[in-house]
Amino acid sequence: MSLKKTIKKIIKKIKIFFLKTTPNPLVGSTNEITRVVWLEKTLKNIPRGSKILDAGAGEQQFKKFCNHLEYVSQDFAQYEPEDLNYGLQMENWDYGKLDIISDIASIPVADKSFDAIMCTEVFEHIVNPREAIKEFSRILKKEGYLIITAPFCSLTHFAPYHFYTGFNLFFYETELVKNGFSIIEITPNGNFFEYLAQEIKRLPHIAKQYSKIVLTKNEINKIQEINLLLQNLSDNDSNSSELLCHGYHVLARKND
């Protein structure tokens, strides 16, 4: 065997050993947990006793962070995962008991009814999110808090109620200021490398579903190699979120 072939064989063995002994990199798997941690921290800072609206509350998963608040839930309550086999759907969905069932852009409450509003991962499911912001401005009290999270880029999900793939920070800077809000915080969730890793980790499932191809162990190992590279790039990232990220976490306050 030539020296070149021997070196290639050794390198291959080292790679296999590395893949077997290195845990799956976290890159691409922290989208949801990062958002949840941010929401918990932000909601805890809302003054005790404040009346908060969970707009587009869905299954009200963040009600647990609002025990110190007067919590009110709202949703249009029309999503049924079994209605359309298209894109990514939830296996089960239960709204529970909602306080308000209405269009998010026309909520049947008086002006200045709430001290705070949170709207998490909802904007991509609203036909006209600009109208929702206008409505939030109407029903928030002076100096009331607005908490928004939404994807920067997303796959088709919750069909047929998926109208936008995502929102850039310039959307918030334009529409919130236009509707009387001061922005306290706009934080990107993840970065370019994190987003790529998230989608690459979906590859075995997507390949099987849409190409009818089950990836081999060797192909899975190649995905692992790519994710290790992306982990290193993400660890050394310098503002690639301006190109692409999971989404933005936004905290704003009503001016008057």
Side-chain angles (χ1 to χ4, degrees), residues 25-69:
L26 286 174
V27 67
S29 61
T30 59
N31 180 358
E32 183 175 2
I33 187 62
T34 301
R35 181 169 60 253
V36 171
V37 168
W38 183 85
L39 282 167
E40 182 178 14
K41 177 195 71 174
T42 303
L43 287 166
K44 281 183 177 179
N45 287 330
I46 302 299
R48 179 173 294 276
S50 297
K51 187 176 183 181
I52 187 169
L53 176 69
D54 189 351
E59 295 186 308
Q60 304 174 57
Q61 61 176 315
F62 301 119
K63 183 178 181 179
K64 61 189 176 185
F65 298 146
C66 299
N67 291 332
H68 62 302
L69 306 172

Side-chain angles (χ1 to χ4, degrees), residues 158-178:
F158 281 61
Y161 305 107
H162 185 248
F163 306 109
Y164 302 92
T165 55
F167 300 84
N168 204 321
L169 66 88
F170 305 114
F171 169 81
Y172 302 112
E173 289 178 347
T174 301
E175 294 302 321
L176 290 177
V177 171
K178 185 189 299 183

Side-chain angles (χ1 to χ4, degrees), residues 168-218:
N168 204 321
L169 66 88
F170 305 114
F171 169 81
Y172 302 112
E173 289 178 347
T174 301
E175 294 302 321
L176 290 177
V177 171
K178 185 189 299 183
N179 284 279
F181 289 94
S182 294
I183 296 171
I184 300 171
E185 176 185 353
I186 298 184
T187 304
N189 178 5
N191 56 45
F192 178 87
F193 309 111
E194 289 274 351
Y195 188 90
L196 287 184
Q198 174 182 269
E199 299 313 312
I200 287 171
K201 285 183 173 181
R202 297 186 203 265
L203 192 54
H205 171 72
I206 300 298
K208 183 178 179 180
Q209 181 172 350
Y210 290 96
S211 297
K212 310 304 180 187
I213 293 174
V214 177
L215 300 187
T216 65
K217 185 176 180 180
N218 185 50

Side-chain angles (χ1 to χ4, degrees), residues 49-253:
S50 297
K51 187 176 183 181
I52 187 169
L53 176 69
D54 189 351
E59 295 186 308
Q60 304 174 57
Q61 61 176 315
F62 301 119
K63 183 178 181 179
K64 61 189 176 185
F65 298 146
C66 299
N67 291 332
H68 62 302
L69 306 172
E70 183 183 345
Y71 176 88
V72 179
S73 58
Q74 177 278 335
D75 205 288
F76 81 144
Q78 294 180 27
Y79 173 64
E80 297 288 348
E82 63 272 14
D83 282 355
L84 185 63
N85 183 23
Y86 192 98
L88 302 177
Q89 298 283 12
M90 301 297 291
E91 289 187 10
N92 300 290
W93 191 258
D94 182 9
Y95 285 102
K97 184 178 180 181
L98 294 166
D99 298 304
I100 301 172
I101 297 177
S102 73
D103 186 325
I104 198 169
S106 182
I107 300 172
V109 297
D111 294 357
K112 305 184 187 304
S113 290
F114 295 97
D115 303 294
I117 296 173
M118 71 167 159
C119 186
T120 63
E121 307 302 288
V122 173
F123 271 24
E124 71 270 32
H125 305 295
I126 305 171
V127 172
N128 195 338
R130 296 171 67 189
E131 291 300 315
I133 291 176
K134 184 177 179 181
E135 181 71 344
F136 294 162
S137 180
R138 179 185 74 82
I139 65 178
L140 259 182
K141 295 178 182 177
K142 181 180 180 181
E143 298 187 349
Y145 293 94
L146 177 60
I147 300 165
I148 300 173
T149 74
F152 180 93
C153 188
S154 64
L155 304 184
T156 300
H157 63 289
F158 281 61
Y161 305 107
H162 185 248
F163 306 109
Y164 302 92
T165 55
F167 300 84
N168 204 321
L169 66 88
F170 305 114
F171 169 81
Y172 302 112
E173 289 178 347
T174 301
E175 294 302 321
L176 290 177
V177 171
K178 185 189 299 183
N179 284 279
F181 289 94
S182 294
I183 296 171
I184 300 171
E185 176 185 353
I186 298 184
T187 304
N189 178 5
N191 56 45
F192 178 87
F193 309 111
E194 289 274 351
Y195 188 90
L196 287 184
Q198 174 182 269
E199 299 313 312
I200 287 171
K201 285 183 173 181
R202 297 186 203 265
L203 192 54
H205 171 72
I206 300 298
K208 183 178 179 180
Q209 181 172 350
Y210 290 96
S211 297
K212 310 304 180 187
I213 293 174
V214 177
L215 300 187
T216 65
K217 185 176 180 180
N218 185 50
E219 289 167 335
I220 296 295
N221 284 341
K222 288 180 180 178
I223 291 174
Q224 174 80 331
E225 287 186 76
I226 293 170
N227 280 327
L228 287 169
L229 169 61
L230 289 171
Q231 180 72 72
N232 183 48
L233 293 170
S234 183
D235 290 343
N236 292 279
D237 178 66
S238 179
N239 203 34
S240 69
S241 60
E242 69 181 23
L243 295 176
L244 179 64
C245 61
H246 297 308
Y248 285 93
H249 302 159
V250 182
L251 176 64
R253 205 161 188 186

